[in-house]
Amino acid sequence: MITNSTPTMSHLLLLAVTLLLSPAQAITHLRILPLGDSITWGAGSTNGSGYRAPLLTLLTSPNSSFTTSKPKITYIGSLTSGNLPPPNNANEGHIGALISQIGDYAKVPLSWNGTLEGDIVLLMAGTNDMFNANISPSEAPVRLGALIDEIVTAWPKAAVLVATLTPSALNTTQDKIEVFNGQVAGVVSKRAKAGNRTLVVSMSKVTVGMEVDVVHPDDVGYTLMAQAWYKGLLEAKSKGWIDGVASGAAFMGGAGWLMWFLVVSLVLLVGV
């Protein structure tokens, strides 16, 4: 019978090992908000899903760094498009939307919080600003910065990946895109230096000639976009920015339980 309430060395050993063998809560769910215009929506792709389908394949493949803890990966948004089965046909890609309009549309998903809050935002905005003759393309980086600020204010824990624009077959538009793309890194790094989880994803591997029309990528272009997004997500993950939803209780894998059982048995034999 225990007659001394003072913790013994065995007590302390048991407590220490238990804490060490109990890992952080496992990520069980990652929610990704694809945000942008018709390219995010998937216009021009044969499956209607654009980059979202090949990206989901990369994220959920057996060799993916995102399937280690086997989380459920889900796209979110107020719109649906493409042939991905629900809910992964969800997105926030608005056809013809300017940066400022994307900011307005984003207010709907950004109002979701708690268990509905996004963990990752894939933002590509600005293509229509380059086409619209009634709006100044030179001010587009300022508008992009305001949109990023809107996102990080609503979802401060989300990883916000900001893409450069894919090219246009129209020379005058392509010239504007190249100027804009050259300024995206500065816009994003300013937010990152302020402590936000923002980084740039270059879409430079998508080149002129990979369009089904003058601006929307073909399937090859969308696949290259997916690869670029995946690379950016790996970088965000390496920075510890992708939190996800954790399971309700911490748990130990088979090896951890075995070690814990052996230590408990030893403590009991020694005497607690």
Side-chain angles (χ1 to χ4, degrees):
M1 182 173 65
I2 300 173
T3 58
N4 189 345
S5 60
T6 301
T8 65
M9 183 60 70
S10 298
H11 276 106
L12 297 176
L13 176 62
L14 178 60
L15 176 60
V17 172
T18 298
L19 291 175
L20 287 173
L21 293 179
S22 297
Q25 292 181 326
I27 295 176
T28 60
H29 200 169
L30 287 175
R31 294 168 301 239
I32 303 174
L33 174 66
L35 177 61
D37 49 37
S38 56
I39 295 177
T40 296
W41 191 80
S45 60
T46 55
N47 61 16
S49 299
Y51 69 74
R52 291 176 285 114
L55 176 57
L56 188 63
T57 298
L58 289 172
L59 289 170
T60 57
S61 69
N63 296 325
S64 171
S65 296
F66 293 85
T67 54
T68 302
S69 57
K70 301 188 183 303
K72 179 180 180 182
I73 298 174
T74 305
Y75 289 130
I76 61 174
S78 65
L79 304 179
T80 58
S81 63
N83 65 355
L84 285 171
N88 279 322
N89 58 348
N91 65 91
E92 204 64 39
H94 294 266
I95 297 174
L98 303 169
I99 294 173
S100 58
Q101 293 171 325
I102 292 171
D104 292 336
Y105 290 126
K107 287 179 171 56
V108 173
L110 292 179
S111 68
W112 303 338
N113 51 40
T115 57
L116 298 178
E117 186 172 330
D119 305 297
I120 300 163
V121 178
L122 305 180
L123 173 63
M124 182 177 174
T127 299
N128 292 300
D129 294 61
M130 304 299 109
F131 277 95
N132 195 314
N134 299 317
I135 190 169
S136 171
S138 63
E139 295 298 317
V142 176
R143 296 190 289 273
L144 178 66
L147 175 52
I148 296 171
D149 291 341
E150 178 185 349
I151 297 169
V152 299
T153 299
W155 291 349
K157 293 183 178 180
V160 182
L161 280 61
V162 184
T164 58
L165 301 181
T166 51
S168 168
L170 295 177
N171 291 336
T172 54
T173 302
Q174 179 59 19
D175 290 342
K176 296 174 184 177
I177 287 175
E178 290 176 1
V179 172
F180 175 80
N181 281 348
Q183 299 176 74
V184 171
V187 173
V188 175
S189 65
K190 179 180 179 181
R191 275 72 192 175
K193 289 177 181 177
N196 298 299
R197 298 178 172 185
T198 57
L199 61 84
V200 176
V201 173
S202 173
M203 294 296 169
S204 60
K205 289 189 176 181
V206 184
T207 58
V208 174
M210 295 181 181
E211 310 92 9
V212 296
D213 46 30
V214 297
V215 66
H216 298 103
D218 58 17
D219 288 344
V220 174
Y222 276 123
T223 298
L224 291 172
M225 288 185 68
Q227 293 171 1
W229 283 125
Y230 184 72
K231 182 179 178 181
L233 287 168
L234 289 177
E235 181 180 350
K237 187 174 185 292
S238 71
K239 293 176 180 291
W241 289 357
I242 299 179
D243 296 329
V245 177
S247 58
F251 69 94
M252 291 183 286
W257 276 114
L258 177 60
M259 183 68 72
W260 186 86
F261 176 78
L262 292 174
V263 171
V264 171
S265 300
L266 177 62
V267 170
L268 289 176
L269 287 174
V270 171
V272 180

